[in-house]
Amino acid sequence: MVADTASPAAGTRTIGVAVPIPEPYGGWLQRTREALGDPLARAIPTHVTLLPPTDVPAGDLGCVEDHLRSVAAGQRGFRIRLRGTGTFRPVSPVVFVALADGAGGCERLQAAVMSGPLARALTFPYHPHVTIAHHLPDEVMDRAVKELADFRAEFEVRRFALYEHGADGVWRPRRDFVLGAGGGR
């Protein structure tokens, strides 16, 4: 999730929804992103985006949470296997860790999240991934591709999270939603 540089209008909140990458992988990838010099490394927890940054009226957050609770209740957990790297260059200056398994589960979850009150058009087709470098010089992006080419991780997705973009530019989890449980915590 990378927020636009424009600040949201008064009375709105910028939110995103994502599958957090669990430890030890999430922290390791975040430290790697930081070591590459990505200034967003500390501001964005390691994740797979389900809903990109979206401005919503502050008064609608309860409705959004109700929607996400309903989505979570109707979804089952699934396994993600991360393997190797990919890039969206030259279309978008992003290097990512690729999903070898679990893309279908992310696609189903993303479609459900982006329905109802969160329905919106996307700039690019949905492609689940874990960003590790964004808007960095080409030589750094090339280094990221090479250094993480052998990266491997596997984990069960049992929840997703609603994040809110703070005035300080940091994305923070607001609430977790447990898959199949019918509630958030």
Side-chain angles (χ1 to χ4, degrees):
M1 293 176 291
V2 176
D4 295 331
T5 53
S7 59
T12 64
R13 302 283 174 81
T14 302
I15 62 166
V17 179
V19 172
I21 304 302
E23 294 303 330
Y25 314 116
W28 189 88
L29 287 169
Q30 195 164 18
R31 289 186 299 277
T32 300
R33 188 172 178 173
E34 187 175 6
L36 290 166
D38 191 326
L40 298 174
R42 288 185 176 241
I44 303 173
T46 309
H47 68 282
V48 175
T49 299
L50 300 172
L51 173 76
T54 301
D55 291 341
V56 297
D60 288 356
L61 284 173
C63 177
V64 166
E65 289 184 6
D66 289 345
H67 168 68
L68 295 175
R69 194 173 296 106
S70 176
V71 166
Q75 299 289 320
R76 290 187 185 155
F78 57 95
R79 189 159 199 74
I80 285 182
R81 187 165 46 100
L82 301 174
R83 183 178 68 212
T85 55
T87 183
F88 294 131
R89 295 183 297 171
V91 175
S92 182
V94 173
V95 173
F96 57 86
V97 171
L99 273 71
D101 287 317
C106 289
E107 290 165 350
R108 285 187 298 279
L109 191 52
Q110 182 264 355
V113 164
M114 290 190 62
S115 66
L118 295 176
R120 62 172 274 204
L122 294 175
T123 306
F124 298 104
Y126 182 66
H127 183 274
H129 65 280
V130 180
T131 299
I132 54 171
H134 188 245
H135 282 294
L136 297 175
D138 282 338
E139 59 273 7
V140 177
M141 302 284 264
D142 293 342
R143 192 175 102 219
V145 169
K146 289 177 188 167
E147 287 182 5
L148 288 152
D150 294 328
F151 180 81
R152 305 278 189 273
E154 276 189 57
F155 57 91
E156 288 292 322
V157 175
R158 294 189 173 105
R159 65 184 177 94
F160 62 87
L162 170 63
Y163 292 85
E164 188 169 343
H165 193 240
D168 59 358
V170 175
W171 286 94
R172 291 182 180 84
R174 179 179 167 95
R175 173 159 291 160
D176 282 349
F177 298 89
V178 178
L179 299 177
R185 61 174 172 102

